[in-house]
Amino acid sequence: MGVKIDFLSISNMDLNTKEEAILQLVNVLEKADYLADKSLFEQAILERERTLSTYIGHEIGLPHAQSSGVKEPCVVVGKLSKPVKWTTENEYVQIVFLIAVPEDNQNNLHLKVLSNLARLLMHEDFRMKLSELDDTATVALLNKSVKEDN
């Protein structure tokens, strides 16, 4: 059984901080009608990030939260025009996968998506493909890879 989640992608995000990146991606989710309560979700995702950094190496951040502010599960990929500082240890991120899952989701969906993405992102060829693709191709690659790699 594959993971059922939608993907969105936005490239050339020009910003300066981790918080700006997260908030801009939350705005993308809101515009695409995935959120029931934007401020509730923002609060959950920023709190989660303050508790434990979601930096996973290779200039990738995986901020995520389960929240009643989320209507439908979605991952929005943000490709930044320049790396931003993600941690106090001077680790920088260039690609952000923001994972939004409803609080009452079935079967730990966010954990499945997280582990699925983390497994894919360990492979350099997958990361290289991601960095080179436009938004439409990025979504197509994730739809194919995340659902099949389960």
Side-chain angles (χ1 to χ4, degrees), residues 3-89:
V3 174
K4 175 59 186 116
I5 193 160
D6 292 338
F7 292 96
L8 302 171
S9 180
I10 180 169
S11 296
N12 302 315
M13 293 175 63
D14 188 21
L15 32 81
N16 299 305
T17 68
K18 167 173 68 172
E19 288 76 18
E20 285 178 27
I22 289 171
L23 294 176
Q24 195 166 332
L25 293 173
V26 169
N27 286 339
V28 170
L29 286 173
E30 182 189 38
K31 284 185 183 121
D33 202 30
Y34 283 91
L35 302 181
D37 186 327
K38 178 183 172 187
S39 61
L40 203 60
F41 178 63
E42 264 178 14
Q43 184 181 341
I45 201 134
L46 291 171
E47 180 57 37
R48 169 67 187 80
E49 192 63 40
R50 274 191 294 275
T51 305
L52 184 65
S53 171
T54 56
Y55 177 77
I56 63 162
H58 308 290
E59 294 192 325
I60 296 169
L62 280 176
H64 55 280
Q66 282 182 262
S67 168
S68 56
V70 178
K71 281 198 276 194
E72 295 293 327
C74 187
V75 175
V76 59
V77 181
K79 297 179 187 180
L80 313 184
S81 56
K82 64 182 182 293
V84 297
K85 187 173 177 179
W86 205 259
T87 69
T88 53
E89 287 82 38

Side-chain angles (χ1 to χ4, degrees), residues 7 116 120 126 129 138-150:
F7 292 96
N116 224 305
L120 289 167
F126 186 80
K129 264 191 230 172
T138 296
V139 169
L141 176 65
L142 290 168
N143 275 323
K144 179 180 183 296
S145 304
V146 172
K147 290 177 181 149
E148 288 179 358
D149 187 43
N150 221 8

